PDB file of all heavy atoms in Angstrom:
ATOM      1  N   LEU A 245     -90.118 -67.349 -11.808  1.00  0.00           N
ATOM      2  CA  LEU A 245     -90.874 -68.049 -10.764  1.00  0.00           C
ATOM      3  C   LEU A 245     -90.669 -67.426  -9.386  1.00  0.00           C
ATOM      4  O   LEU A 245     -91.495 -67.601  -8.497  1.00  0.00           O
ATOM      5  CB  LEU A 245     -90.449 -69.529 -10.706  1.00  0.00           C
ATOM      6  CG  LEU A 245     -91.051 -70.478 -11.735  1.00  0.00           C
ATOM      7  CD1 LEU A 245     -90.501 -71.888 -11.516  1.00  0.00           C
ATOM      8  CD2 LEU A 245     -92.578 -70.503 -11.657  1.00  0.00           C
ATOM      9  N   LEU A 246     -89.560 -66.701  -9.231  1.00  0.00           N
ATOM     10  CA  LEU A 246     -89.312 -66.008  -7.963  1.00  0.00           C
ATOM     11  C   LEU A 246     -89.889 -64.596  -7.972  1.00  0.00           C
ATOM     12  O   LEU A 246     -90.649 -64.210  -7.075  1.00  0.00           O
ATOM     13  CB  LEU A 246     -87.797 -65.941  -7.693  1.00  0.00           C
ATOM     14  CG  LEU A 246     -87.353 -65.025  -6.546  1.00  0.00           C
ATOM     15  CD1 LEU A 246     -87.928 -65.505  -5.210  1.00  0.00           C
ATOM     16  CD2 LEU A 246     -85.846 -64.948  -6.475  1.00  0.00           C
ATOM     17  N   ILE A 247     -89.546 -63.825  -9.000  1.00  0.00           N
ATOM     18  CA  ILE A 247     -89.841 -62.384  -8.997  1.00  0.00           C
ATOM     19  C   ILE A 247     -91.335 -62.087  -9.143  1.00  0.00           C
ATOM     20  O   ILE A 247     -91.892 -61.278  -8.390  1.00  0.00           O
ATOM     21  CB  ILE A 247     -89.054 -61.665 -10.115  1.00  0.00           C
ATOM     22  CG1 ILE A 247     -87.545 -61.831  -9.906  1.00  0.00           C
ATOM     23  CG2 ILE A 247     -89.433 -60.189 -10.174  1.00  0.00           C
ATOM     24  CD1 ILE A 247     -86.980 -61.152  -8.687  1.00  0.00           C
ATOM     25  N   ILE A 248     -92.007 -62.732 -10.109  1.00  0.00           N
ATOM     26  CA  ILE A 248     -93.411 -62.406 -10.356  1.00  0.00           C
ATOM     27  C   ILE A 248     -94.292 -62.739  -9.143  1.00  0.00           C
ATOM     28  O   ILE A 248     -95.072 -61.890  -8.692  1.00  0.00           O
ATOM     29  CB  ILE A 248     -93.936 -63.091 -11.635  1.00  0.00           C
ATOM     30  CG1 ILE A 248     -93.084 -62.695 -12.847  1.00  0.00           C
ATOM     31  CG2 ILE A 248     -95.396 -62.730 -11.880  1.00  0.00           C
ATOM     32  CD1 ILE A 248     -93.016 -61.209 -13.096  1.00  0.00           C
ATOM     33  N   PRO A 249     -94.204 -63.947  -8.565  1.00  0.00           N
ATOM     34  CA  PRO A 249     -94.976 -64.200  -7.344  1.00  0.00           C
ATOM     35  C   PRO A 249     -94.607 -63.239  -6.209  1.00  0.00           C
ATOM     36  O   PRO A 249     -95.483 -62.803  -5.457  1.00  0.00           O
ATOM     37  CB  PRO A 249     -94.610 -65.648  -6.981  1.00  0.00           C
ATOM     38  CG  PRO A 249     -94.248 -66.271  -8.279  1.00  0.00           C
ATOM     39  CD  PRO A 249     -93.554 -65.177  -9.050  1.00  0.00           C
ATOM     40  N   ALA A 250     -93.321 -62.886  -6.103  1.00  0.00           N
ATOM     41  CA  ALA A 250     -92.897 -61.944  -5.052  1.00  0.00           C
ATOM     42  C   ALA A 250     -93.572 -60.592  -5.235  1.00  0.00           C
ATOM     43  O   ALA A 250     -93.992 -59.947  -4.258  1.00  0.00           O
ATOM     44  CB  ALA A 250     -91.379 -61.781  -5.061  1.00  0.00           C
ATOM     45  N   ILE A 251     -93.724 -60.153  -6.482  1.00  0.00           N
ATOM     46  CA  ILE A 251     -94.387 -58.880  -6.762  1.00  0.00           C
ATOM     47  C   ILE A 251     -95.856 -58.938  -6.328  1.00  0.00           C
ATOM     48  O   ILE A 251     -96.385 -57.998  -5.727  1.00  0.00           O
ATOM     49  CB  ILE A 251     -94.276 -58.525  -8.259  1.00  0.00           C
ATOM     50  CG1 ILE A 251     -92.832 -58.180  -8.618  1.00  0.00           C
ATOM     51  CG2 ILE A 251     -95.184 -57.354  -8.610  1.00  0.00           C
ATOM     52  CD1 ILE A 251     -92.595 -57.983 -10.092  1.00  0.00           C
ATOM     53  N   PHE A 252     -96.510 -60.060  -6.630  1.00  0.00           N
ATOM     54  CA  PHE A 252     -97.919 -60.196  -6.252  1.00  0.00           C
ATOM     55  C   PHE A 252     -98.097 -60.333  -4.737  1.00  0.00           C
ATOM     56  O   PHE A 252     -99.095 -59.859  -4.186  1.00  0.00           O
ATOM     57  CB  PHE A 252     -98.551 -61.379  -6.996  1.00  0.00           C
ATOM     58  CG  PHE A 252     -98.986 -61.042  -8.386  1.00  0.00           C
ATOM     59  CD1 PHE A 252     -98.065 -60.970  -9.423  1.00  0.00           C
ATOM     60  CD2 PHE A 252    -100.315 -60.760  -8.664  1.00  0.00           C
ATOM     61  CE1 PHE A 252     -98.459 -60.645 -10.716  1.00  0.00           C
ATOM     62  CE2 PHE A 252    -100.730 -60.429  -9.956  1.00  0.00           C
ATOM     63  CZ  PHE A 252     -99.795 -60.367 -10.982  1.00  0.00           C
ATOM     64  N   VAL A 253     -97.129 -60.959  -4.076  1.00  0.00           N
ATOM     65  CA  VAL A 253     -97.137 -61.007  -2.608  1.00  0.00           C
ATOM     66  C   VAL A 253     -97.005 -59.592  -2.057  1.00  0.00           C
ATOM     67  O   VAL A 253     -97.703 -59.201  -1.103  1.00  0.00           O
ATOM     68  CB  VAL A 253     -96.005 -61.908  -2.068  1.00  0.00           C
ATOM     69  CG1 VAL A 253     -95.876 -61.768  -0.553  1.00  0.00           C
ATOM     70  CG2 VAL A 253     -96.259 -63.364  -2.435  1.00  0.00           C
ATOM     71  N   ALA A 254     -96.110 -58.799  -2.679  1.00  0.00           N
ATOM     72  CA  ALA A 254     -95.927 -57.406  -2.255  1.00  0.00           C
ATOM     73  C   ALA A 254     -97.225 -56.617  -2.433  1.00  0.00           C
ATOM     74  O   ALA A 254     -97.610 -55.823  -1.565  1.00  0.00           O
ATOM     75  CB  ALA A 254     -94.797 -56.765  -3.060  1.00  0.00           C
ATOM     76  N   GLN A 255     -97.919 -56.845  -3.540  1.00  0.00           N
ATOM     77  CA  GLN A 255     -99.198 -56.162  -3.765  1.00  0.00           C
ATOM     78  C   GLN A 255    -100.211 -56.535  -2.682  1.00  0.00           C
ATOM     79  O   GLN A 255    -100.966 -55.691  -2.202  1.00  0.00           O
ATOM     80  CB  GLN A 255     -99.741 -56.513  -5.149  1.00  0.00           C
ATOM     81  CG  GLN A 255    -100.998 -55.728  -5.521  1.00  0.00           C
ATOM     82  CD  GLN A 255    -101.563 -56.148  -6.856  1.00  0.00           C
ATOM     83  OE1 GLN A 255    -101.518 -57.320  -7.219  1.00  0.00           O
ATOM     84  NE2 GLN A 255    -102.088 -55.188  -7.606  1.00  0.00           N
ATOM     85  N   GLN A 256    -100.214 -57.798  -2.302  1.00  0.00           N
ATOM     86  CA  GLN A 256    -101.101 -58.271  -1.240  1.00  0.00           C
ATOM     87  C   GLN A 256    -100.823 -57.553   0.076  1.00  0.00           C
ATOM     88  O   GLN A 256    -101.718 -57.335   0.893  1.00  0.00           O
ATOM     89  CB  GLN A 256    -100.898 -59.787  -1.060  1.00  0.00           C
ATOM     90  CG  GLN A 256    -101.929 -60.478  -0.190  1.00  0.00           C
ATOM     91  CD  GLN A 256    -103.262 -60.684  -0.903  1.00  0.00           C
ATOM     92  OE1 GLN A 256    -103.298 -60.737  -2.117  1.00  0.00           O
ATOM     93  NE2 GLN A 256    -104.347 -60.778  -0.157  1.00  0.00           N
ATOM     94  N   GLN A 257     -99.543 -57.150   0.253  1.00  0.00           N
ATOM     95  CA  GLN A 257     -99.130 -56.449   1.476  1.00  0.00           C
ATOM     96  C   GLN A 257     -99.327 -54.937   1.378  1.00  0.00           C
ATOM     97  O   GLN A 257     -98.920 -54.205   2.271  1.00  0.00           O
ATOM     98  CB  GLN A 257     -97.650 -56.751   1.774  1.00  0.00           C
ATOM     99  CG  GLN A 257     -97.344 -58.220   2.030  1.00  0.00           C
ATOM    100  CD  GLN A 257     -97.959 -58.729   3.310  1.00  0.00           C
ATOM    101  OE1 GLN A 257     -98.188 -57.967   4.242  1.00  0.00           O
ATOM    102  NE2 GLN A 257     -98.259 -60.025   3.363  1.00  0.00           N
ATOM    103  N   GLY A 258     -99.897 -54.482   0.241  1.00  0.00           N
ATOM    104  CA  GLY A 258    -100.175 -53.052   0.099  1.00  0.00           C
ATOM    105  C   GLY A 258     -99.092 -52.260  -0.599  1.00  0.00           C
ATOM    106  O   GLY A 258     -99.157 -51.028  -0.654  1.00  0.00           O
ATOM    107  N   VAL A 259     -98.085 -52.950  -1.144  1.00  0.00           N
ATOM    108  CA  VAL A 259     -97.013 -52.257  -1.866  1.00  0.00           C
ATOM    109  C   VAL A 259     -97.474 -51.990  -3.298  1.00  0.00           C
ATOM    110  O   VAL A 259     -98.067 -52.862  -3.944  1.00  0.00           O
ATOM    111  CB  VAL A 259     -95.725 -53.119  -1.889  1.00  0.00           C
ATOM    112  CG1 VAL A 259     -94.616 -52.394  -2.649  1.00  0.00           C
ATOM    113  CG2 VAL A 259     -95.273 -53.440  -0.469  1.00  0.00           C
ATOM    114  N   GLU A 260     -97.223 -50.781  -3.797  1.00  0.00           N
ATOM    115  CA  GLU A 260     -97.611 -50.435  -5.171  1.00  0.00           C
ATOM    116  C   GLU A 260     -96.695 -51.155  -6.159  1.00  0.00           C
ATOM    117  O   GLU A 260     -95.473 -50.975  -6.135  1.00  0.00           O
ATOM    118  CB  GLU A 260     -97.502 -48.925  -5.401  1.00  0.00           C
ATOM    119  CG  GLU A 260     -97.975 -48.499  -6.793  1.00  0.00           C
ATOM    120  CD  GLU A 260     -97.661 -47.041  -7.117  1.00  0.00           C
ATOM    121  OE1 GLU A 260     -97.112 -46.341  -6.231  1.00  0.00           O
ATOM    122  OE2 GLU A 260     -97.943 -46.626  -8.244  1.00  0.00           O
ATOM    123  N   VAL A 261     -97.281 -52.003  -7.017  1.00  0.00           N
ATOM    124  CA  VAL A 261     -96.465 -52.774  -7.951  1.00  0.00           C
ATOM    125  C   VAL A 261     -96.831 -52.515  -9.412  1.00  0.00           C
ATOM    126  O   VAL A 261     -96.123 -52.942 -10.318  1.00  0.00           O
ATOM    127  CB  VAL A 261     -96.564 -54.292  -7.667  1.00  0.00           C
ATOM    128  CG1 VAL A 261     -96.076 -54.615  -6.270  1.00  0.00           C
ATOM    129  CG2 VAL A 261     -97.978 -54.801  -7.879  1.00  0.00           C
ATOM    130  N   PHE A 262     -97.924 -51.823  -9.668  1.00  0.00           N
ATOM    131  CA  PHE A 262     -98.330 -51.513 -11.035  1.00  0.00           C
ATOM    132  C   PHE A 262     -98.207 -50.011 -11.303  1.00  0.00           C
ATOM    133  O   PHE A 262     -98.468 -49.200 -10.423  1.00  0.00           O
ATOM    134  CB  PHE A 262     -99.772 -51.956 -11.295  1.00  0.00           C
ATOM    135  CG  PHE A 262     -99.923 -53.443 -11.471  1.00  0.00           C
ATOM    136  CD1 PHE A 262    -100.277 -54.247 -10.398  1.00  0.00           C
ATOM    137  CD2 PHE A 262     -99.709 -54.026 -12.710  1.00  0.00           C
ATOM    138  CE1 PHE A 262    -100.414 -55.621 -10.554  1.00  0.00           C
ATOM    139  CE2 PHE A 262     -99.850 -55.404 -12.877  1.00  0.00           C
ATOM    140  CZ  PHE A 262    -100.197 -56.199 -11.804  1.00  0.00           C
ATOM    141  N   GLN A 263     -97.817 -49.692 -12.530  1.00  0.00           N
ATOM    142  CA  GLN A 263     -97.725 -48.292 -12.945  1.00  0.00           C
ATOM    143  C   GLN A 263     -98.198 -48.221 -14.396  1.00  0.00           C
ATOM    144  O   GLN A 263     -97.625 -48.899 -15.262  1.00  0.00           O
ATOM    145  CB  GLN A 263     -96.280 -47.799 -12.824  1.00  0.00           C
ATOM    146  CG  GLN A 263     -96.144 -46.304 -12.648  1.00  0.00           C
ATOM    147  CD  GLN A 263     -94.729 -45.931 -12.227  1.00  0.00           C
ATOM    148  OE1 GLN A 263     -93.768 -46.409 -12.789  1.00  0.00           O
ATOM    149  NE2 GLN A 263     -94.608 -45.067 -11.243  1.00  0.00           N
ATOM    150  N   ASP A 264     -99.238 -47.433 -14.648  1.00  0.00           N
ATOM    151  CA  ASP A 264     -99.813 -47.328 -15.991  1.00  0.00           C
ATOM    152  C   ASP A 264    -100.193 -48.698 -16.559  1.00  0.00           C
ATOM    153  O   ASP A 264     -99.999 -48.984 -17.743  1.00  0.00           O
ATOM    154  CB  ASP A 264     -98.840 -46.625 -16.949  1.00  0.00           C
ATOM    155  CG  ASP A 264     -98.477 -45.227 -16.483  1.00  0.00           C
ATOM    156  OD1 ASP A 264     -99.362 -44.555 -15.929  1.00  0.00           O
ATOM    157  OD2 ASP A 264     -97.305 -44.824 -16.658  1.00  0.00           O
ATOM    158  N   GLY A 265    -100.723 -49.557 -15.695  1.00  0.00           N
ATOM    159  CA  GLY A 265    -101.178 -50.881 -16.125  1.00  0.00           C
ATOM    160  C   GLY A 265    -100.084 -51.896 -16.347  1.00  0.00           C
ATOM    161  O   GLY A 265    -100.335 -53.024 -16.751  1.00  0.00           O
ATOM    162  N   LYS A 266     -98.841 -51.508 -16.093  1.00  0.00           N
ATOM    163  CA  LYS A 266     -97.708 -52.408 -16.292  1.00  0.00           C
ATOM    164  C   LYS A 266     -97.027 -52.677 -14.953  1.00  0.00           C
ATOM    165  O   LYS A 266     -96.994 -51.808 -14.078  1.00  0.00           O
ATOM    166  CB  LYS A 266     -96.676 -51.783 -17.253  1.00  0.00           C
ATOM    167  CG  LYS A 266     -97.184 -51.569 -18.667  1.00  0.00           C
ATOM    168  CD  LYS A 266     -97.052 -52.839 -19.481  1.00  0.00           C
ATOM    169  CE  LYS A 266     -97.361 -52.593 -20.961  1.00  0.00           C
ATOM    170  NZ  LYS A 266     -97.271 -53.824 -21.745  1.00  0.00           N
ATOM    171  N   LEU A 267     -96.470 -53.888 -14.830  1.00  0.00           N
ATOM    172  CA  LEU A 267     -95.702 -54.184 -13.624  1.00  0.00           C
ATOM    173  C   LEU A 267     -94.458 -53.308 -13.581  1.00  0.00           C
ATOM    174  O   LEU A 267     -93.786 -53.123 -14.600  1.00  0.00           O
ATOM    175  CB  LEU A 267     -95.270 -55.649 -13.621  1.00  0.00           C
ATOM    176  CG  LEU A 267     -96.271 -56.676 -13.089  1.00  0.00           C
ATOM    177  CD1 LEU A 267     -95.697 -58.074 -13.241  1.00  0.00           C
ATOM    178  CD2 LEU A 267     -96.588 -56.419 -11.624  1.00  0.00           C
ATOM    179  N   ILE A 268     -94.164 -52.791 -12.416  1.00  0.00           N
ATOM    180  CA  ILE A 268     -92.943 -52.002 -12.240  1.00  0.00           C
ATOM    181  C   ILE A 268     -91.748 -52.921 -12.468  1.00  0.00           C
ATOM    182  O   ILE A 268     -91.704 -54.039 -11.969  1.00  0.00           O
ATOM    183  CB  ILE A 268     -92.884 -51.396 -10.818  1.00  0.00           C
ATOM    184  CG1 ILE A 268     -93.971 -50.329 -10.669  1.00  0.00           C
ATOM    185  CG2 ILE A 268     -91.514 -50.819 -10.527  1.00  0.00           C
ATOM    186  CD1 ILE A 268     -94.145 -49.820  -9.263  1.00  0.00           C
ATOM    187  N   GLY A 269     -90.787 -52.466 -13.235  1.00  0.00           N
ATOM    188  CA  GLY A 269     -89.635 -53.316 -13.539  1.00  0.00           C
ATOM    189  C   GLY A 269     -88.314 -52.658 -13.223  1.00  0.00           C
ATOM    190  O   GLY A 269     -88.240 -51.560 -12.686  1.00  0.00           O
ATOM    191  N   GLU A 270     -87.268 -53.371 -13.553  1.00  0.00           N
ATOM    192  CA  GLU A 270     -85.885 -52.922 -13.481  1.00  0.00           C
ATOM    193  C   GLU A 270     -85.535 -52.317 -12.128  1.00  0.00           C
ATOM    194  O   GLU A 270     -85.776 -52.926 -11.087  1.00  0.00           O
ATOM    195  CB  GLU A 270     -85.602 -51.977 -14.651  1.00  0.00           C
ATOM    196  CG  GLU A 270     -85.802 -52.680 -15.988  1.00  0.00           C
ATOM    197  CD  GLU A 270     -85.544 -51.797 -17.181  1.00  0.00           C
ATOM    198  OE1 GLU A 270     -85.374 -50.585 -17.018  1.00  0.00           O
ATOM    199  OE2 GLU A 270     -85.529 -52.345 -18.292  1.00  0.00           O
ATOM    200  N   GLY A 271     -84.952 -51.112 -12.123  1.00  0.00           N
ATOM    201  CA  GLY A 271     -84.415 -50.552 -10.888  1.00  0.00           C
ATOM    202  C   GLY A 271     -85.410 -50.447  -9.749  1.00  0.00           C
ATOM    203  O   GLY A 271     -85.134 -50.836  -8.615  1.00  0.00           O
ATOM    204  N   ARG A 272     -86.600 -49.938 -10.044  1.00  0.00           N
ATOM    205  CA  ARG A 272     -87.583 -49.741  -8.967  1.00  0.00           C
ATOM    206  C   ARG A 272     -88.045 -51.067  -8.381  1.00  0.00           C
ATOM    207  O   ARG A 272     -88.323 -51.166  -7.197  1.00  0.00           O
ATOM    208  CB  ARG A 272     -88.783 -48.941  -9.485  1.00  0.00           C
ATOM    209  CG  ARG A 272     -88.530 -47.447  -9.552  1.00  0.00           C
ATOM    210  CD  ARG A 272     -89.824 -46.669  -9.507  1.00  0.00           C
ATOM    211  NE  ARG A 272     -90.590 -46.937  -8.293  1.00  0.00           N
ATOM    212  CZ  ARG A 272     -91.905 -46.785  -8.199  1.00  0.00           C
ATOM    213  NH1 ARG A 272     -92.593 -46.400  -9.257  1.00  0.00           N
ATOM    214  NH2 ARG A 272     -92.534 -47.031  -7.088  1.00  0.00           N
ATOM    215  N   LEU A 273     -88.134 -52.083  -9.233  1.00  0.00           N
ATOM    216  CA  LEU A 273     -88.540 -53.404  -8.749  1.00  0.00           C
ATOM    217  C   LEU A 273     -87.532 -53.927  -7.725  1.00  0.00           C
ATOM    218  O   LEU A 273     -87.902 -54.351  -6.628  1.00  0.00           O
ATOM    219  CB  LEU A 273     -88.642 -54.374  -9.931  1.00  0.00           C
ATOM    220  CG  LEU A 273     -88.722 -55.862  -9.584  1.00  0.00           C
ATOM    221  CD1 LEU A 273     -89.998 -56.161  -8.828  1.00  0.00           C
ATOM    222  CD2 LEU A 273     -88.620 -56.716 -10.834  1.00  0.00           C
ATOM    223  N   ILE A 274     -86.272 -53.894  -8.080  1.00  0.00           N
ATOM    224  CA  ILE A 274     -85.232 -54.492  -7.238  1.00  0.00           C
ATOM    225  C   ILE A 274     -84.942 -53.654  -5.997  1.00  0.00           C
ATOM    226  O   ILE A 274     -84.743 -54.193  -4.910  1.00  0.00           O
ATOM    227  CB  ILE A 274     -83.923 -54.678  -8.054  1.00  0.00           C
ATOM    228  CG1 ILE A 274     -84.168 -55.628  -9.222  1.00  0.00           C
ATOM    229  CG2 ILE A 274     -82.793 -55.195  -7.170  1.00  0.00           C
ATOM    230  CD1 ILE A 274     -84.580 -57.024  -8.833  1.00  0.00           C
ATOM    231  N   PHE A 275     -84.931 -52.337  -6.151  1.00  0.00           N
ATOM    232  CA  PHE A 275     -84.467 -51.488  -5.045  1.00  0.00           C
ATOM    233  C   PHE A 275     -85.584 -50.773  -4.295  1.00  0.00           C
ATOM    234  O   PHE A 275     -85.313 -50.051  -3.339  1.00  0.00           O
ATOM    235  CB  PHE A 275     -83.456 -50.463  -5.580  1.00  0.00           C
ATOM    236  CG  PHE A 275     -82.271 -51.111  -6.237  1.00  0.00           C
ATOM    237  CD1 PHE A 275     -82.011 -50.912  -7.581  1.00  0.00           C
ATOM    238  CD2 PHE A 275     -81.426 -51.942  -5.511  1.00  0.00           C
ATOM    239  CE1 PHE A 275     -80.927 -51.521  -8.196  1.00  0.00           C
ATOM    240  CE2 PHE A 275     -80.344 -52.553  -6.121  1.00  0.00           C
ATOM    241  CZ  PHE A 275     -80.086 -52.343  -7.464  1.00  0.00           C
ATOM    242  N   ALA A 276     -86.836 -50.960  -4.715  1.00  0.00           N
ATOM    243  CA  ALA A 276     -87.945 -50.322  -3.982  1.00  0.00           C
ATOM    244  C   ALA A 276     -89.019 -51.342  -3.620  1.00  0.00           C
ATOM    245  O   ALA A 276     -89.314 -51.559  -2.450  1.00  0.00           O
ATOM    246  CB  ALA A 276     -88.536 -49.187  -4.825  1.00  0.00           C
ATOM    247  N   VAL A 277     -89.581 -52.006  -4.630  1.00  0.00           N
ATOM    248  CA  VAL A 277     -90.703 -52.917  -4.395  1.00  0.00           C
ATOM    249  C   VAL A 277     -90.302 -54.096  -3.517  1.00  0.00           C
ATOM    250  O   VAL A 277     -90.933 -54.374  -2.488  1.00  0.00           O
ATOM    251  CB  VAL A 277     -91.290 -53.425  -5.737  1.00  0.00           C
ATOM    252  CG1 VAL A 277     -92.349 -54.498  -5.479  1.00  0.00           C
ATOM    253  CG2 VAL A 277     -91.887 -52.263  -6.519  1.00  0.00           C
ATOM    254  N   LEU A 278     -89.245 -54.806  -3.901  1.00  0.00           N
ATOM    255  CA  LEU A 278     -88.863 -56.001  -3.137  1.00  0.00           C
ATOM    256  C   LEU A 278     -88.364 -55.685  -1.731  1.00  0.00           C
ATOM    257  O   LEU A 278     -88.754 -56.369  -0.777  1.00  0.00           O
ATOM    258  CB  LEU A 278     -87.843 -56.830  -3.923  1.00  0.00           C
ATOM    259  CG  LEU A 278     -88.399 -57.472  -5.202  1.00  0.00           C
ATOM    260  CD1 LEU A 278     -87.338 -58.310  -5.906  1.00  0.00           C
ATOM    261  CD2 LEU A 278     -89.618 -58.338  -4.904  1.00  0.00           C
ATOM    262  N   PRO A 279     -87.525 -54.649  -1.521  1.00  0.00           N
ATOM    263  CA  PRO A 279     -87.166 -54.303  -0.142  1.00  0.00           C
ATOM    264  C   PRO A 279     -88.375 -53.944   0.719  1.00  0.00           C
ATOM    265  O   PRO A 279     -88.408 -54.280   1.908  1.00  0.00           O
ATOM    266  CB  PRO A 279     -86.224 -53.092  -0.314  1.00  0.00           C
ATOM    267  CG  PRO A 279     -85.588 -53.326  -1.641  1.00  0.00           C
ATOM    268  CD  PRO A 279     -86.683 -53.917  -2.486  1.00  0.00           C
TER     269      PRO A 279
END
């Protein structure tokens, strides 16, 4: 409930959150997308 909406908020702000049709996960999610 925290991470998925946060990813979509990031996308709304122009941050790249999808890669090859899949949501970016694990290391890149925590240390790149969310920061």
Side-chain angles (χ1 to χ4, degrees):
L245 280 180
L246 169 62
I247 299 294
I248 303 303
I251 291 173
F252 278 79
V253 171
Q255 186 183 36
Q256 191 76 25
Q257 298 292 333
V259 180
E260 183 189 358
V261 299
F262 285 95
Q263 205 167 46
D264 301 324
K266 295 276 188 182
L267 276 177
I268 292 171
E270 299 180 351
R272 280 203 59 205
L273 166 65
I274 298 298
F275 302 117
V277 173
L278 293 182

